[in-house]
Structures are given as structure tokens and as C-alpha cells.
Amino acid sequence: MNTTEPLSGTPFTFEGKAAMMERALGSAGISILCQDARLSIFYAENLPPYFAARFMPGSTDAGLFGDIHGQYLTALKHKVLETGIPNNAEVEIDVDGEMRTYELKIQRTGERGTHGLLSVMTEVTESRHREKVLKSLLRELSHRSKNLLAIIQGIATQTARNTLSLDSFLLKFRGRLQSLSNSQDLITDSSWRGAYLFELAEKQFAPYWPETSGSMPIYGINAHLTPNAAVHLGLALHELIVNSASYGAIAGGAASITLNCREAAIGDRRAIEIAWAEVLQDQSEVHEFSDNSFGRTVLERVVPSSVNGKAELNLVPGRIEYRLTIPETEFEIFKRI
């Protein structure tokens, strides 16, 4: 077939141009309003049912859109008539108890002395809703990005204060950034709704948990944590598991660790308590976190403060115990195991 030659046949063989245009307007959801110089509406096409019921030849904008919108549109349209410069307007109409948004593209028609107006009206309710949602998401993304940058800055500063060499700093800093990234992956996958405790713990433990030790010992309530709680608990779990892999039970050749979550209370508020219990190989050893170490600062100060909870780190002969209590504002329980 030679596509450079005009196609045979006459356009609009079965129906005229006007009928074809009406069908096109209907399919596109577009309405047409024509007004004379006095802004009397003398012609309308494809009006939605709400407007069709209010329209009569000779109607005004106030009669079609209501008094408040009518005043606004009248002023705008007089300006278009005077200047010849097209303009756009949006109106929100309560249709059967639901607010609907309509956009009007207004332009002047006719010759001097016989000017009128053509308004092309389209419902944009859904697109405006999507725009609002997108803007809200972008604001949320900006807010979370700033929070993450603040956390990263704090990690970098505190890590640098507690390391004596560049190699040591890079090793610890990269590990903590990876921990943050792991938590953030879960949060992003859930569309920023947060993360489940068990998934968060497994993600943090996986790089350090011995393959020969079987499944990870995580018990109790699989609470769904807010993004804020997930990020900060992830940092706490990272410090605990890295410490164990470096100096504790895992380093000693045993994975005698349990993580348990149970219901608790902070004052009169519902809460959960997340308890880490680690049994050391040497039952007489009292493990020491350095008093000024970043790990201890994270566990005892940064994390509980960030979730408005409380924490307790106990270093007793042969054991490391850590309890973090998180208030109900930072979690939900969808089902109990």
C-alpha cells in the first residue's frame, strides 16, 4: 500500500461534520459555551447533567455556576472581551454532595462590533486530586530526605568522635549507612507506611548471622512500626548485632541470642517492649560498651528519644540485655502470633 497517496473515499460519508464533532466532544468530556457581548449564553453543547438541568438559552454565568462563581467569571470574561487575551478559570461545584472541579478556557470570538466568547469547559476533578496527592508526596519526600540527612550527619559526627583511624571510621560508617539503607528499603517498599518488626530484624541480622545457626530467633508480636520507629530501631539492632559479631556471642562461636516483642505500657499508654538477650560464651564475663561509644549512645539515648520511649542496657555476668519500650504512637498490631 502506498502511504504517500491520499486514502480513497470521502470523509464523513455516513454522518456530517457537526455530528462527528458532537460525538468527539462527548467522548472527550468537553463542553462548549457560547456567549454574546452581554455574556448571555445563547448556545451550549455536551453539558454534564448538573449544568444541562440549569441551562436555558439566555442564561448567565450566575444562573449556570451560582452567584459567587458567576461574579468571578463575569469579571474575568469582561476582561477577555476588552483585551482579546484568552484566559483560564477553575470553579468548584457541589454536585450531589461531592465537590467537582471544572476548568474553563475562555477566548474572544467574532469581529469588531460582534465580539462574543467561546468557553471550553472540562472536568478536571481527578487530575487536580492527583496533583494534590503528588504535591503532598513530594513534601513528604522532602521532609523525610531532610530527616535522613540529619541522621546521616549525626552518624558521621558520632562515628568520627569514637574512631582513631580513617580505616576504622570508614568501616563503621559504611556499616551504619548500610543499616539505614536496609531499613529505608523496607519503608519505601511499603509506600512509606513503615515496616514490620520481624522483617526489619531479619534485614539487619542477615549480614552477620552465622549460616550454621539456623533461623533467626525472633519471637512475640510482629508489630508494624512507623517509618520513624523503623529507622531508629534498625540502627539499634545494627549496633547490637555488630557488637555481638565483633566481641560477643557470635564472635565466641555461638549464636545464643533472642529478640522478643511483647505488649507493655509507658505510664497509661499502650506500648510494646522489644527485648534483646545475648548469652556470652564466658559466663563470668561482664561485657563493656565503652562509655563514650556511639553504639551505647544510640542504644541508651538516640533511639529511645527519637521514638518517645525508654530504653535500658544491662551488662551483667555472661549476658547482654537490652530493652526498648515504644509507645503506641509508633506502631500498630495487626495480628498476634
Side-chain angles (χ1 to χ4, degrees), residues 115-234:
H115 285 150
L117 289 177
L118 171 68
S119 298
V120 179
M121 184 172 74
T122 311
E123 184 175 352
V124 293
T125 306
E126 299 304 323
S127 61
R128 292 298 177 265
H129 174 71
R130 287 193 293 270
E131 287 176 8
K132 289 178 182 178
V133 170
L134 180 58
K135 288 178 181 178
S136 176
L137 289 174
L138 289 174
R139 285 194 295 269
E140 180 71 8
L141 176 61
S142 175
H143 174 69
R144 293 190 184 281
S145 298
K146 290 177 182 177
N147 284 347
L148 281 175
L149 288 173
I151 292 171
I152 292 169
Q153 185 178 33
I155 290 173
T157 301
Q158 292 296 330
T159 302
R161 285 177 181 171
N162 293 281
T163 52
L164 300 178
S165 70
L166 178 60
D167 287 344
S168 177
F169 166 80
L170 290 175
L171 180 64
K172 293 179 180 179
F173 183 62
R174 285 169 180 163
R176 285 160 180 160
L177 277 188
Q178 186 60 53
S179 164
L180 193 63
S181 175
N182 289 341
S183 299
Q184 194 61 35
D185 283 345
L186 293 176
I187 294 167
T188 302
D189 289 345
S190 71
S191 301
W192 297 332
R193 290 190 294 271
Y196 282 99
L197 170 62
F198 287 13
E199 291 178 336
L200 179 70
E202 288 170 357
K203 194 92 168 174
Q204 296 296 336
F205 292 172
Y208 307 95
W209 191 256
E211 292 182 2
T212 57
S213 298
S215 60
M216 300 174 195
I218 307 168
Y219 306 107
I221 300 168
N222 189 15
H224 189 267
L225 305 167
T226 65
N228 175 62
V231 165
H232 288 93
L233 179 58

Side-chain angles (χ1 to χ4, degrees), residues 9-327:
T10 304
F12 314 117
T13 300
F14 299 107
E15 51 187 326
K17 281 188 178 181
M20 291 288 283
M21 290 302 295
E22 286 179 15
R23 292 177 61 191
L25 289 174
S27 299
I30 295 173
S31 304
I32 300 295
L33 294 172
C34 294
Q35 293 168 273
D36 59 24
R38 296 173 300 171
L39 300 187
S40 175
I41 304 172
F42 61 87
Y43 175 78
E45 186 64 56
N46 197 42
L47 289 177
Y50 172 84
F51 294 104
R54 300 167 68 95
F55 173 70
M56 292 180 57
S59 296
T60 63
D61 287 308
L64 203 58
F65 297 99
D67 290 338
I68 295 177
H69 293 313
Q71 293 175 13
Y72 160 64
L73 291 172
T74 297
L76 186 66
K77 289 180 177 181
H78 274 307
K79 189 172 182 180
V80 173
L81 279 172
E82 292 168 5
T83 64
I85 301 173
N87 211 331
N88 297 339
E90 282 192 9
V91 294
E92 282 194 334
I93 305 291
D94 186 336
V95 179
D96 298 327
E98 183 178 359
M99 296 303 297
R100 313 298 295 178
T101 304
Y102 297 88
E103 180 185 57
L104 287 88
K105 297 182 179 297
I106 307 163
Q107 58 183 338
R108 192 172 70 182
T109 62
E111 303 295 333
R112 183 183 297 274
T114 60
H115 285 150
L117 289 177
L118 171 68
S119 298
V120 179
M121 184 172 74
T122 311
E123 184 175 352
V124 293
T125 306
E126 299 304 323
S127 61
R128 292 298 177 265
H129 174 71
R130 287 193 293 270
E131 287 176 8
K132 289 178 182 178
V133 170
L134 180 58
K135 288 178 181 178
S136 176
L137 289 174
L138 289 174
R139 285 194 295 269
E140 180 71 8
L141 176 61
S142 175
H143 174 69
R144 293 190 184 281
S145 298
K146 290 177 182 177
N147 284 347
L148 281 175
L149 288 173
I151 292 171
I152 292 169
Q153 185 178 33
I155 290 173
T157 301
Q158 292 296 330
T159 302
R161 285 177 181 171
N162 293 281
T163 52
L164 300 178
S165 70
L166 178 60
D167 287 344
S168 177
F169 166 80
L170 290 175
L171 180 64
K172 293 179 180 179
F173 183 62
R174 285 169 180 163
R176 285 160 180 160
L177 277 188
Q178 186 60 53
S179 164
L180 193 63
S181 175
N182 289 341
S183 299
Q184 194 61 35
D185 283 345
L186 293 176
I187 294 167
T188 302
D189 289 345
S190 71
S191 301
W192 297 332
R193 290 190 294 271
Y196 282 99
L197 170 62
F198 287 13
E199 291 178 336
L200 179 70
E202 288 170 357
K203 194 92 168 174
Q204 296 296 336
F205 292 172
Y208 307 95
W209 191 256
E211 292 182 2
T212 57
S213 298
S215 60
M216 300 174 195
I218 307 168
Y219 306 107
I221 300 168
N222 189 15
H224 189 267
L225 305 167
T226 65
N228 175 62
V231 165
H232 288 93
L233 179 58
L235 291 175
L237 294 175
H238 173 77
E239 295 303 324
L240 289 166
I241 195 69
V242 168
N243 180 75
S244 181
S246 302
Y247 312 107
I250 295 176
S256 49
I257 297 168
T258 58
L259 186 72
N260 198 3
C261 178
R262 66 180 184 85
E263 292 187 74
I266 299 179
D268 59 352
R269 291 187 299 168
R270 191 168 66 103
I272 53 172
E273 181 188 78
I274 299 169
W276 166 284
E278 178 176 355
V279 179
L280 304 176
Q281 189 176 37
D282 184 351
Q283 292 296 295
S284 64
E285 177 188 357
V286 178
H287 184 85
E288 289 294 339
F289 277 83
S290 173
D291 286 342
N292 65 348
S293 75
F294 179 60
R296 187 158 192 162
T297 300
V298 167
L299 294 171
E300 294 184 313
R301 293 168 49 192
V302 174
V303 172
S305 173
S306 298
V307 299
N308 295 313
K310 60 181 183 179
E312 183 180 1
L313 177 64
N314 291 320
L315 306 173
V316 297
R319 290 177 67 84
I320 298 173
E321 298 175 348
Y322 179 68
R323 290 183 175 84
L324 174 66
T325 308
I326 300 176

